[in-house]
Amino acid sequence: MKKELIFLGPPACGKGTQTNRLAEHFGFPHIDTGSLLRAEIASGSENGNIAKQFIDKGQLVPVWLVGDIIKARLSQDDCKDGFILDGFPRSMEQAEMLETIREHIDGDNEVDFRATYFDVDMHVLISRIVNRRSCTNCGEIYNLKTKAPKVEGKCDICGGELTQRKDDNEETAHARFDTYFRETAPLIDYYKNKNVLFTINADGTIDEVWKRLLKVVE
Ligand code: AMP
């Protein structure tokens, strides 16, 4: 049966690292709205310029913009057996939009749809954000405290340059948390009421969290 997996959790809860690995595990595409939007910005498109203004302030990009990107991406052929959707939906409006998109794509076919919530204490998160670096070439994610690269500033895997995301500073991080609690956290109850919510403790090493994740999605 087609598997459609979505993920909820505050900024820096570790979703990106785990869902990348999960996509490889299942052989499904990893669709991450944050990365899609950053690619849109890098392309210099008009939508990218609009998105940038919101991302730099830690606010959600307008729903029409992100909805169009997601609808086009989920309709592609490589999603026909399943997908890993990371970072969407992030508001009630987006959750409703996802329902509409799924009805359009799946019709009456039975689908295994699950939402996994990464539960993690707030104090861990800010530290993760300010220490996070990622490879500009392959996207591998590092943490200067818990997963430092062997050579400073260089990716262990491909030797690419490591940079800090522009919105990974303390001020924007706080704004992103405010946005998360206001807009995204209500989705936990929304999916709980639909009986599709699974919660995992996301405080732990990458391998510990990975084992907990596999238990709820396999
Ligand atoms: P992320 O890489 O998931 O932390 O996302 C970085 C930023 O991209 C967020 O702070 C938002 O500004 C924007 N963004 C990512 N996903 C969405 C979404 N589903 N809806 C609106 N904005 C988003």
Side-chain angles (χ1 to χ4, degrees):
M1 196 192 306
K2 183 178 180 189
K3 245 186 200 320
E4 299 183 347
L5 304 176
I6 66 163
F7 300 87
L8 303 172
C13 65
K15 280 188 290 111
T17 304
Q18 299 290 342
T19 55
N20 255 313
R21 190 164 169 183
L22 199 59
E24 242 173 68
H25 176 80
F26 284 129
F28 297 156
H30 177 254
I31 301 165
D32 155 20
T33 40
S35 299
L36 289 174
L37 289 166
R38 285 187 286 279
E40 196 73 38
I41 295 173
S43 79
S45 71
E46 198 179 323
N47 280 350
N49 290 337
I50 297 171
K52 187 174 184 312
Q53 295 165 26
F54 292 87
I55 293 178
D56 286 351
K57 284 190 264 179
Q59 295 170 356
L60 292 185
V61 167
V63 66
W64 59 265
L65 200 164
V66 76
D68 277 359
I69 293 178
I70 285 297
K71 186 171 180 196
R73 186 63 190 88
L74 296 185
S75 306
Q76 284 177 20
D77 206 43
D78 62 347
C79 294
K80 68 178 188 317
D81 295 329
F83 55 76
I84 306 283
L85 188 51
D86 174 12
F88 186 93
R90 255 172 148 117
S91 65
M92 288 299 288
E93 199 180 3
Q94 292 185 9
E96 280 156 16
M97 179 177 273
L98 181 60
E99 302 274 300
T100 311
I101 294 172
R102 291 182 52 234
E103 271 163 30
H104 172 80
I105 294 170
D106 300 324
D108 291 333
N109 294 337
E110 215 187 322
V111 167
D112 179 6
F113 177 84
R114 298 178 198 205
T116 303
Y117 167 48
F118 281 57
D119 191 12
V120 119
D121 249 25
M122 268 293 287
H123 70 271
V124 181
L125 299 172
I126 293 272
S127 152
R128 279 195 193 167
I129 287 190
V130 295
N131 288 300
R132 175 161 61 184
R133 300 290 182 275
S134 58
C135 175
T136 45
N137 183 43
C138 73
E140 182 71 4
I141 299 166
Y142 294 86
N143 180 294
L144 298 185
K145 290 213 168 126
T146 57
K147 190 191 163 196
K150 293 194 182 88
V151 178
E152 199 187 320
K154 295 268 176 256
C155 178
D156 291 350
I157 295 171
C158 71
E161 189 199 349
L162 301 187
T163 55
Q164 183 175 32
R165 273 171 46 174
K166 200 162 172 275
D167 59 349
D168 272 353
N169 58 72
E170 205 153 337
E171 192 190 337
T172 313
H174 280 293
R176 284 159 63 203
F177 282 109
D178 288 346
T179 304
Y180 170 77
F181 285 112
R182 201 177 51 249
E183 307 261 8
T184 314
L187 295 181
I188 298 166
D189 276 343
Y190 175 81
Y191 286 113
K192 202 183 273 170
N193 290 335
K194 287 181 178 284
N195 285 324
V196 293
L197 187 82
F198 296 81
T199 298
I200 60 165
N201 172 5
D203 193 359
T205 65
I206 291 177
D207 284 337
E208 283 165 352
V209 178
W210 171 246
K211 284 187 193 123
R212 294 175 200 147
L213 176 62
L214 275 187
K215 277 198 192 135
V216 303
V217 294
E218 271 195 324

